[in-house]
Amino acid sequence: MKPKTIESSERDANTTSGLKTVSIIASTVLVGGIIFALTMIPTNNGVIDHAPRTSSWVSEQTSARRIQAVCPAQMQLADTGSYGDTEFQSSAGNLTSRTRYAAFGSVFHSQVQALGPHQDADATVLTGQSNNGDVMVSASADQQTTPTIFETRLLSAKAGTGAAGALASYATTGDLRGVSAASCVNTALEQTFLVPSTATGHTNQLVISNPTDQPTTVTVQLWGAQSGRMASATNSTLTVQAGGTTTMNLSAAAANQDALWVDVISSDTAVACTIRMIDMDGLTPKGSDFAMPLDTAATTATIPWTNSATSIDLIARSSHAGSVKLSWITTHGLVAMHTLNLSEGKPVVWTPDDVPQHVIGISATSDVDFVIAARVNSADHDGQTDFALVNGRTPMAQSAVALPADVTANIAVANTDSQLATIRFEGMDAAGAIIGSYTVSLDGNSAATFKASELGDDVVAVLVRQADAHIAWGAALTNTQVQHADLQGIAFLPATALHVPQQTMNAARNQSIIE
């Protein structure tokens, strides 16, 4: 099938073929709605108005009509001022970045545009193919110097529908040597993070983006490993203008903590947040990466990738006192590691003595809901190192990863179920065509890795379309230029669930209202 652009005429036709809307707010997190999507669509093909029924109750399942995400700007230094002699000034060097956007399933339009006050200006429309009502479209860009808004409009909440976007930035000179990566972040009223050390040499900068046409006030709450709940040393209430971005230096707000748990709450509109982490030892770069929003706290979590690590720092946090049982995930099951004791509210840091070469990920289980992340550290080369922050994930089924250009990707997948699982991965090219597949058989609670090139040489996205999968996975990234410069460079992109949040609306007839 020839590559196809989804034109406005098609959108009009699709719009009139059964979309019925009601004004409510949907949610990608438990605390609030997908504020950007103020309209909803029924998940079936019927209409909301029904003929009288014998029951006084009417129930409709609805879902978001629009997915909106923000893709962050490339890695940046927190302080770009020029002080003192040139040789001692900080520098981004030859920093380069690439982005990729992909949408799948029951989609009638998907586009990307720069974050700013002028919406729909110079938008790039994703293009690709449509087959039996399933759309696969993509777009890419170079030099992500400003954040972008990634918006996908849906026809229905059909399984396997969603969007995935990603950024990768890399450098071989300057203070950002190595590789950093981030997924595009769905907007929400509340997002939480786990962040490694805020001691001297560790810069952690919270970036809050507001893609809506209304300003909002954001409150940032902090819990430190040493101090527990903390009063920020800087302003903890921030204003984010419409179409704007605001930053907060967490290392200044909560200094000298081994780890931080960060809770970002927006009062008026949904926002998207990331945290830029940059480590230096004097003039020697020690790596950089983005901290991404955590999944909702749960009693189980899986860190799907630890490969290439010479050391790992684990950070866990719960609102309740409890313990977390940690196990290495291998190709043939779990190997017991450690039991981590949690105190109420405080993040806890633990570093294993070594990382066995045969392990792929980490499994964590607890008697209380918790969140966990791993700082995966590369080898040291003449003092220069790099790291990747990998969040613990809850199981997912249909899911995808978008792969930016100029990176080499290895797929890491963990089976979170206790039973044997066979998972089929598919590779999509820039024209929206499936160009290859790779099947992985996994024992219960086991993991595997394979090269994304197994799916084809021109893969721009990897997806899983099995509804019965129970997996945590993602793509570990390296860059050829960084490797040829004999530098360390690692990053990890987690998979994005291809799932549209749904909500059941109940209504009852009450004759007394009109009597």
Side-chain angles (χ1 to χ4, degrees):
M1 180 175 294
K2 294 181 179 180
K4 167 187 172 185
T5 301
I6 303 177
E7 302 292 350
S8 60
S9 58
E10 292 179 70
R11 298 197 300 272
D12 294 340
N14 287 327
T15 303
T16 58
S17 62
L19 287 178
K20 310 295 179 179
T21 64
V22 291
S23 291
I24 71 169
I25 297 175
S27 177
T28 57
V29 293
L30 296 176
V31 298
I34 303 177
I35 297 298
F36 53 83
L38 295 178
T39 55
M40 308 293 290
I41 53 177
T43 57
N44 56 26
N45 293 325
V47 295
I48 293 180
D49 295 325
H50 298 279
R53 303 177 181 178
T54 55
S55 171
S56 62
W57 280 95
V58 176
S59 180
E60 277 293 342
Q61 195 170 49
T62 62
S63 62
R65 186 180 177 182
R66 182 171 59 170
I67 300 172
Q68 190 177 59
V70 174
C71 303
Q74 64 192 24
M75 183 56 66
Q76 298 177 21
L77 295 168
D79 185 358
T80 57
S82 298
Y83 312 103
D85 295 338
T86 303
E87 60 183 307
F88 300 113
Q89 293 174 5
S90 60
S91 167
N94 60 346
L95 185 69
T96 304
S97 60
R98 302 285 185 262
T99 52
R100 186 83 69 184
Y101 312 93
F104 314 88
S106 187
V107 172
F108 75 89
H109 181 79
S110 188
Q111 70 175 38
V112 181
Q113 63 183 350
L115 178 70
H118 305 294
Q119 303 299 324
D120 296 323
D122 300 322
T124 298
V125 178
L126 277 64
T127 61
Q129 299 188 5
S130 177
N131 185 15
N132 297 324
D134 279 339
V135 169
M136 292 188 183
V137 291
S138 71
S140 61
D142 299 338
Q143 291 306 107
Q144 179 89 342
T145 55
T146 60
T148 50
I149 304 172
F150 181 22
E151 179 178 285
T152 301
R153 300 181 184 182
L154 311 177
L155 290 171
S156 73
K158 180 181 177 181
T161 294
L167 157 79
S169 63
Y170 56 92
T172 58
T173 64
D175 295 326
L176 300 177
R177 280 172 275 174
V179 181
S180 304
S183 300
C184 299
V185 179
N186 285 351
T187 55
L189 288 174
E190 182 177 22
Q191 293 175 340
T192 59
F193 300 83
L194 283 173
V195 182
S197 174
T198 62
T200 301
H202 303 269
T203 300
N204 301 286
Q205 186 181 47
L206 172 66
V207 183
I208 308 168
S209 298
N210 176 13
T212 72
D213 58 3
Q214 297 181 6
T216 188
T217 299
V218 171
T219 301
V220 181
Q221 298 180 359
L222 304 172
W223 287 75
Q226 277 73 29
S227 303
R229 186 162 187 173
M230 303 180 66
S232 173
T234 61
N235 192 0
S236 62
T237 302
L238 309 171
T239 298
V240 191
Q241 298 299 327
T245 296
T246 295
T247 63
M248 177 180 181
N249 188 338
L250 298 174
S251 297
N256 300 317
Q257 302 295 310
D258 289 342
L260 276 183
W261 181 75
V262 183
D263 188 9
V264 183
I265 303 171
S266 176
S267 62
D268 300 305
T269 66
V271 296
C273 306
T274 55
I275 296 174
R276 292 194 287 248
M277 304 174 295
I278 302 172
D279 285 6
M280 297 286 293
D281 182 7
L283 299 177
T284 303
K286 291 295 184 179
S288 61
D289 200 14
F290 294 88
M292 305 305 297
L294 296 161
D295 285 356
T296 302
T299 57
T300 62
T302 301
I303 296 169
W305 178 76
T306 60
N307 265 10
S308 303
T310 55
S311 66
I312 293 174
D313 303 309
L314 290 169
I315 312 166
R317 190 262 183 190
S318 175
S319 297
H320 308 281
S323 60
V324 177
K325 181 181 178 181
L326 302 171
S327 302
W328 298 112
I329 308 175
T330 73
T331 55
H332 298 292
L334 302 178
V335 176
M337 185 202 315
H338 183 70
T339 297
L340 192 62
N341 293 320
L342 302 179
S343 56
E344 182 177 334
K346 284 186 178 182
V348 175
V349 183
W350 180 72
T351 302
D353 292 334
D354 56 38
V355 181
Q357 291 299 309
H358 63 284
V359 305
I360 296 173
I362 296 171
S363 171
T365 60
S366 178
D367 53 347
V368 296
D369 290 340
F370 70 100
V371 290
I372 190 170
R375 176 183 156 128
V376 179
N377 304 301
S378 73
D380 184 298
H381 179 76
D382 292 334
Q384 183 264 339
T385 63
D386 201 9
F387 68 90
L389 189 68
V390 185
N391 287 343
R393 305 302 306 275
T394 51
M396 61 181 66
Q398 293 104 324
S399 45
V401 169
L403 299 178
D406 295 346
V407 296
T408 300
N410 285 315
I411 306 301
V413 53
N415 176 17
T416 63
D417 197 12
S418 60
Q419 303 299 314
L420 175 71
T422 300
I423 309 300
R424 184 172 185 261
F425 291 85
E426 296 177 295
M428 185 185 87
D429 68 7
I434 297 297
I435 59 173
S437 65
Y438 189 87
T439 300
V440 179
S441 293
L442 297 169
D443 293 335
N445 298 310
S446 298
T449 62
F450 66 92
K451 295 179 180 178
S453 58
E454 296 281 357
L455 301 169
D457 293 333
D458 301 313
V459 169
V460 303
V462 180
L463 65 155
V464 173
R465 293 194 277 187
Q466 292 173 234
D468 60 348
H470 297 86
I471 56 176
W473 68 285
L477 307 182
T478 57
N479 172 263
T480 302
Q481 293 182 37
V482 173
Q483 291 176 324
H484 287 174
D486 203 18
L487 295 170
Q488 297 296 319
I490 59 172
F492 185 78
L493 286 173
T496 299
L498 300 180
H499 169 73
V500 182
Q502 299 182 13
Q503 181 174 341
T504 300
M505 299 180 62
N506 297 311
R509 288 181 293 177
N510 187 340
Q511 194 68 26
S512 65
I513 294 177
I514 58 176
E515 287 179 351

